[in-house]
């Protein structure tokens, strides 16, 4: 991409007390060049700003160009935040995976919801998964030169024919050669396999995990870990996609299969290496593994051990934080996906031991997505309205914030918290984490979050 086609890096935040604030940066300003080079993305920006002397070409919010120079400590941060991490645009996905969630959304929403990224830079910066199918030689070279590691890679299958079938891309069959490339350069990845019953499960899943385990060797294993995730389907998916949902019986089969392999890997590699997402146990109605099973939680961002971690944190903080009684009695409705109903019931019992506090668990499935079993993060505003209208919700709703878009008050169906609260004639308290949950339970009724 030529420098002329790069967009200036537009600043959204300036950290108070930072070097950037001292230099006079304001939100709306944009960095055009750093030491004569236009940054492509946040990676370039961080690399270029590591120097101890910077010459900056800056475009202010009025469109005027300024030249700034600053001497600073090596690696000292300027304290600037940007509207996007990618200044040259998103690398779009060129696969046609039938299980892609982007294609399983209803039509007519805002355009950004349908962007399919397959961008190695977002993988490095934020842990999003990519497939490696659309990287040019120049991008491979950049990964090597900047040592962008670890990356997060969707494998799905190591057999060329099976992976090509899943990704609908003839380049998808090169995955083992690509893993060897990482291994030769001592670069690393975390992998995931989305299991689609009848396509990449059974003997194909076993082969994939054994193939990947071959790359978990030496001081710098090319494949650090693998997450095994059940395919998630919605009623909006294409009818010709040949996919089947994961049944309770199939979930139990996959659990048994992977747990047997984990025992082998633990003996051979010193690690479980392959990890089952929490959803498998929820679908199978089986107990979650103990905390010791998860080692250092290498796949926590992929839903592997996140519920166990939440329960552990809840039990630790509840013991220290919950009083024997509260001064003024209150009743709250805690909305969750019905997938976690049985797991969360003991937590509700513990909360209800506080005299004067009544927590009613409201486990819901999503008719919006057409799912019988739903994880909490996929519940929509329409689901809450449909399922909770007419119910006694007490003094308000405790709403896990993971139902809402990042740093926003919108559900996945674009309804806002205020819209749902008005429709249900109640107060909604978005809950970010365990301390937030406990505080809402025992403190006097606070002013609810506003949109």
């Amino acid at each position: 991409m030529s420098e002329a086609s790069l967009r200036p890096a537009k600043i959204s935040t300036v950290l108070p007390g930072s070097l950037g604030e001292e230099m006079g940066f304001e939100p709306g300003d944009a960095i055009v060049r750093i030491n004569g080079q236009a940054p492509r993305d946040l990676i370039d920006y961080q690399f270029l700003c590591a120097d101890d002397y910077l010459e900056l070409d800056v475009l202010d919010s009025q469109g005027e160009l300024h030249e700034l120079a600053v001497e600073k400590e090596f690696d000292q941060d300027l304290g600037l935040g940007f509207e996007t991490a990618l200044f040259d645009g998103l690398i779009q996905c060129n696969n046609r995976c039938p299980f892609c969630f982007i294609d399983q959304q209803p039509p007519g929403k805002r355009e950004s919801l349908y962007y399919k990224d397959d961008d190695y830079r977002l993988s490095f910066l934020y842990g999003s998964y990519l497939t490696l199918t659309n990287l040019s030689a120049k991008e491979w070279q950049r990964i090597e030169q900047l040592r962008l590691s670890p990356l997060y890679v969707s494998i799905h299958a190591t057999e060329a024919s099976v992976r090509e079938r899943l990704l609908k891309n003839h380049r998808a069959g090169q995955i083992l050669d690509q893993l060897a490339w990482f291994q030769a350069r001592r670069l690393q990845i975390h992998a995931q396999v989305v299991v689609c019953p009848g396509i990449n499960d059974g003997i194909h899943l076993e082969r994939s995990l054994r193939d990947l385990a071959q790359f978990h060797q030496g001081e710098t294993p090319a494949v650090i870990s693998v997450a095994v995730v059940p395919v998630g389907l919605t009623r909006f998916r294409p009818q010709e996609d040949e996919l089947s949902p994961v049944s309770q019986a199939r979930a139990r089969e996959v659990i048994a299969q992977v747990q047997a392999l984990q025992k082998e890997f633990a003996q051979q590699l010193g690690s479980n290496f392959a990890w089952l997402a929490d959803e498998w146990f929820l679908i199978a109605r089986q107990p979650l593994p103990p905390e010791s099973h998860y080692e250092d939680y290498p796949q926590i961002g992929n839903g592997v051990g996140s519920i166990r971690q939440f329960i552990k944190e809840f039990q630790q903080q509840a013991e220290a934080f919950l009083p024997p009684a509260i001064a003024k009695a209150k009743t709250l409705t805690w909305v969750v996906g019905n997938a976690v109903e049985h797991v969360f019931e003991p937590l509700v019992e513990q909360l209800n031991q506080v005299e004067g506090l009544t927590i009613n668990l409201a486990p819901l499935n999503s008719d919006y997505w057409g799912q019988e079993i739903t994880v909490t993060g996929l519940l929509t505003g329409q689901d809450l309205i449909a399922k909770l209208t007419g119910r006694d919700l007490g003094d308000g709703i405790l709403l896990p914030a993971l139902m809402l878009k990042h740093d926003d008050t919108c559900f996945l169906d674009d309804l806002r918290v205020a819209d749902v609260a008005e429709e249900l004639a109640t107060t909604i308290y978005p809950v970010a984490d365990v301390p937030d949950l406990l505080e809402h339970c025992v403190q006097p009724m606070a002013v609810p979050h506003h949109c």
Side-chain angles (χ1 to χ4, degrees):
M1 180 173 287
S2 67
E3 183 174 317
S5 63
L6 290 175
R7 292 172 296 182
K10 194 167 185 180
I11 295 166
S12 58
T13 58
V14 181
L15 200 64
S18 66
L19 183 57
E21 185 181 57
E22 288 181 26
M23 296 173 67
F25 279 105
E26 297 178 351
D29 295 341
I31 295 177
V32 181
R33 278 176 295 275
I34 303 171
N35 291 342
Q37 184 173 331
R40 289 180 52 183
D41 46 43
L42 195 57
I43 297 171
D44 273 354
Y45 167 78
Q46 292 172 344
F47 179 78
L48 293 168
C49 283
D51 209 343
D52 54 9
Y53 177 74
L54 304 180
E55 292 183 351
L56 306 171
D57 295 337
V58 180
L59 201 64
D60 68 21
S61 58
Q62 306 303 312
E64 287 192 35
L65 190 64
H66 304 264
E67 295 180 0
L68 303 177
V70 61
E71 291 186 14
K72 64 180 188 62
E73 297 294 325
F74 186 77
D75 271 352
Q76 183 182 2
D77 186 54
L78 296 182
L80 305 178
F82 298 90
E83 287 188 349
T84 175
L86 308 178
F87 313 143
D88 62 354
L90 187 71
I91 297 178
Q92 295 278 345
C93 183
N94 61 358
N95 304 301
R96 300 189 305 280
C97 306
F99 50 84
C100 178
F101 190 76
I102 302 298
D103 292 333
Q104 295 192 65
Q105 299 181 101
K109 300 293 183 180
R110 64 187 183 283
E111 189 178 348
S112 62
L113 290 177
Y114 305 103
Y115 288 155
K116 294 185 187 179
D117 79 85
D118 199 23
D119 203 306
Y120 68 97
R121 300 166 299 175
L122 297 181
S123 183
F124 174 70
L125 291 168
Y126 305 120
S128 60
Y129 277 84
L130 78 159
T131 64
L132 304 175
T133 59
N134 64 357
L135 293 178
S136 66
K138 184 177 179 181
E139 306 296 1
W140 281 105
Q141 185 179 36
R142 188 175 186 228
I143 291 171
E144 180 178 6
Q145 288 178 338
L146 296 182
R147 300 201 63 77
L148 303 182
S149 174
L151 297 182
Y152 294 76
V153 180
S154 291
I155 304 292
H156 306 322
T158 55
E159 295 166 85
S161 60
V162 179
R163 194 167 193 256
E164 288 172 9
R165 176 185 175 187
L166 280 168
L167 272 61
K168 303 290 192 294
N169 188 328
H170 69 278
R171 299 178 64 182
Q174 303 169 13
I175 188 61
L176 289 176
D177 291 337
Q178 291 167 337
L179 294 178
W181 183 93
F182 279 90
Q183 186 177 51
R185 289 155 180 80
R186 297 173 62 84
L187 297 173
Q188 297 182 292
I189 72 160
H190 289 283
Q192 77 166 351
V193 174
V194 174
V195 175
C196 301
I199 301 177
N200 66 337
D201 57 350
I203 59 172
H204 304 295
L205 176 59
E206 179 171 350
R207 177 167 174 179
S208 293
L209 296 182
R210 290 190 184 279
D211 284 346
L212 292 169
Q214 296 301 310
F215 292 93
H216 189 82
Q217 301 173 7
E219 292 183 7
T220 311
V223 180
I224 307 169
S225 68
V226 186
V228 180
V229 182
V231 65
L233 304 178
T234 83
R235 65 186 176 91
F236 301 107
R237 74 182 196 272
Q239 293 305 305
E240 67 282 359
D241 63 11
E242 67 177 346
L243 298 178
S244 303
V246 175
S247 65
Q248 184 182 59
R250 184 57 61 91
R252 290 180 173 180
E253 290 174 8
V254 172
I255 290 171
Q257 180 185 21
V258 174
Q259 286 182 335
L261 287 169
Q262 285 175 332
K263 291 179 181 178
E264 285 188 36
F265 296 149
Q267 290 180 338
Q268 297 167 4
L269 309 174
S271 169
N272 288 332
F273 177 66
W275 306 90
L276 288 156
D278 296 351
E279 285 180 64
W280 291 108
F281 300 97
L282 302 178
I283 296 170
R285 289 291 190 261
Q286 289 186 350
L288 292 165
E291 182 196 347
S292 59
H293 166 82
Y294 293 102
E295 298 174 16
D296 61 351
Y297 291 89
Q299 289 274 359
I300 188 74
N302 217 345
V304 177
S306 56
I307 294 177
R308 175 60 66 197
Q309 197 174 72
F310 181 90
I311 292 172
K312 176 189 174 184
E313 186 180 357
F314 179 92
Q315 291 171 338
Q316 288 178 337
Q317 300 205 24
E319 187 175 335
F321 188 81
L322 289 180
I326 55 176
K328 185 177 180 181
K330 64 173 153 180
T331 299
L332 295 169
T333 300
W334 185 7
V335 175
V336 297
N338 65 343
V340 299
E341 176 179 3
H342 301 294
V343 178
F344 277 20
E345 282 174 348
L347 310 187
V348 173
E349 290 177 10
Q350 190 170 352
L351 290 170
N352 286 335
Q353 289 175 8
V354 176
E355 186 179 343
L357 176 64
T358 302
I359 301 296
N360 295 318
L361 194 67
L364 310 180
N365 71 302
S366 176
D367 291 337
Y368 178 87
W369 298 114
Q371 297 173 328
E372 292 182 14
I373 299 176
T374 304
V375 295
T376 301
L378 287 181
L379 290 175
T380 67
Q382 292 177 51
D383 290 321
L384 267 66
I385 292 171
K387 306 282 183 178
L388 299 178
T389 295
R391 289 176 58 166
D392 182 0
L393 301 174
D395 297 303
I397 292 173
L398 296 172
L399 184 84
L402 54 83
M403 292 184 202
L404 307 174
K405 294 166 188 172
H406 181 63
D407 291 335
D408 202 349
T409 60
C410 281
F411 293 87
L412 288 175
D413 59 359
D414 283 342
L415 283 182
R416 301 183 75 84
V417 170
D419 301 329
V420 178
E422 183 178 358
E423 192 72 27
L424 294 175
T426 192
T427 303
I428 294 180
Y429 301 95
V431 172
D433 50 26
V434 171
D436 203 13
L437 171 70
L438 297 177
E439 186 172 344
H440 280 300
C441 288
V442 303
Q443 296 299 325
M445 298 304 292
V447 177
H449 291 242
H450 294 291
C451 293

